[in-house]
Amino acid sequence: MLRTRTPTCVLTSAAAPHATHGHHPDRYVQIGSLTKVLTGTAFVRMAEAGLLDAADPVERWLPAPHGTGITLQHLAEHTSGLPRQPPGLAGKDPYRGFDNVALQRLLGTCDEMTTAPAGTTKAYSNLGYAILGAALSAAGRLPYEQLIHDHVLTPLGIREITTHPPAECCLHPTGLLGRRRPQWTLDGAILPSGGLWATPQATADLLKSLLVERKLGDPAPTWQAAGLVTWHNGATSTSSAFAGALPNGAWVMIHRLGGTSGDTDRMGIELLRDLHDG
């Protein structure tokens, strides 16, 4: 495994949680795009409950132009044709200004932003999941975080995943001289795409519940597949995470305060390979 002094927390199906360099399995951290797993699971659950239809066009729930061909299913599967990021992001805190007003403005031109017809090409889109989360809130008539609790976390008995955790329970990465490094603001319109905080233990519990125990049925289309591995990762300006599982029930969840997402992914894949071979 990669050896660094980056604060790291590793949880697996084969051993007790292991944290180094100041990390902790029960302290809140940003999980980045692992948030999408909760958004996608809520989408599937709401469709099963009849609150929406997976084939609903975006304009059924949001002020998007008619005839884009983009459905909620396309958003969940990353086949909407929308770009990876909202246009116009800039600065050290790029999502700070991407609020609901900005999202509503973009919705009016989403037919002009697509790079391919909906349903024809798979291309990862943070913007797509921001729009999906807004559509879920409109369909459920509840704020995003309440939907996540009602349709995902409460049924699984998981509590330590939230938008605004208690400050005293959070871990923050530090730089030179122990100064806290600035973190992205992710609680605006980008929240459903990458803004949740969670403890590593709660994230591992989510992974086990959704991929291994299948407590809420088949996994949401959010999850990625590579060979035998079903996985998703997440990254912010200061954190990186990987969660993955094998058909034999082995699983790995890694969170790092710093480092690159690529290195974190490689650590996770290596651990899963060891669990498979062992």
Side-chain angles (χ1 to χ4, degrees):
M1 183 188 296
L2 180 70
R3 305 295 179 184
T4 73
R5 294 192 61 80
T6 300
T8 300
C9 190
V10 178
L11 298 95
T12 78
S13 53
H18 179 65
T20 60
H21 307 301
H23 214 307
H24 197 286
D26 296 320
R27 300 288 296 275
Y28 285 92
V29 289
Q30 289 182 317
I31 61 171
S33 284
L34 277 171
T35 300
K36 292 183 177 70
V37 168
L38 291 106
T39 304
T41 303
F43 159 66
V44 171
R45 297 270 291 169
M46 291 174 69
E48 291 172 347
L51 296 172
L52 53 82
D53 192 297
D56 283 343
V58 173
E59 59 266 29
R60 178 180 177 186
W61 301 109
L62 298 172
H66 289 273
T68 64
I70 301 173
T71 67
L72 302 186
Q73 187 75 28
H74 291 141
L75 295 173
E77 294 178 341
H78 294 292
T79 57
S80 66
L82 290 167
R84 183 181 182 92
Q85 300 284 36
L89 300 183
K92 295 182 178 180
D93 193 2
Y95 297 103
R96 186 177 183 85
F98 186 56
D99 56 14
N100 287 326
V101 173
L103 178 62
Q104 297 294 316
R105 187 166 54 246
L106 280 181
L107 282 167
T109 61
C110 67
D111 56 336
E112 302 171 12
M113 290 190 291
T114 55
T115 58
T120 63
T121 305
K122 187 164 186 174
Y124 192 87
S125 177
N126 290 318
L127 174 59
Y129 260 76
I131 294 173
L132 178 61
L136 298 186
S137 290
R141 300 182 180 181
L142 288 171
Y144 170 78
E145 187 171 9
Q146 188 62 53
L147 290 175
I148 294 303
H149 278 278
D150 290 353
H151 295 283
V152 185
L153 298 178
T154 297
L156 296 178
I158 297 173
R159 298 179 59 186
E160 293 82 14
I161 298 179
T162 185
T163 306
H164 297 107
E168 68 274 12
C169 299
C170 297
L171 280 179
H172 298 280
T174 56
L176 293 175
L177 305 177
R179 294 175 180 171
R180 182 182 296 183
R181 295 171 58 194
Q183 294 172 281
W184 286 341
T185 303
L186 297 168
D187 58 359
I190 204 66
L191 170 61
S193 183
L196 288 175
W197 291 67
T199 66
Q201 183 62 65
T203 310
D205 292 342
L206 180 75
L207 167 66
K208 289 185 294 180
S209 296
L210 296 181
L211 290 190
V212 179
E213 297 164 351
R214 306 287 177 101
K215 289 183 177 180
L216 299 183
D218 291 337
T222 318
W223 291 99
Q224 309 292 302
L228 295 176
V229 180
T230 303
W231 66 280
H232 208 286
N233 62 4
T236 69
S237 59
T238 56
S239 298
S240 56
F242 172 90
L246 294 169
N248 65 2
W251 58 267
V252 167
M253 190 275 151
I254 298 176
H255 189 279
R256 303 171 73 215
L257 288 170
T260 67
S261 182
D263 284 342
T264 304
D265 292 351
R266 281 187 284 275
M267 291 172 66
I269 294 298
E270 182 180 336
L271 282 169
L272 283 172
R273 185 182 297 117
D274 291 343
L275 292 174
H276 178 265
D277 295 341

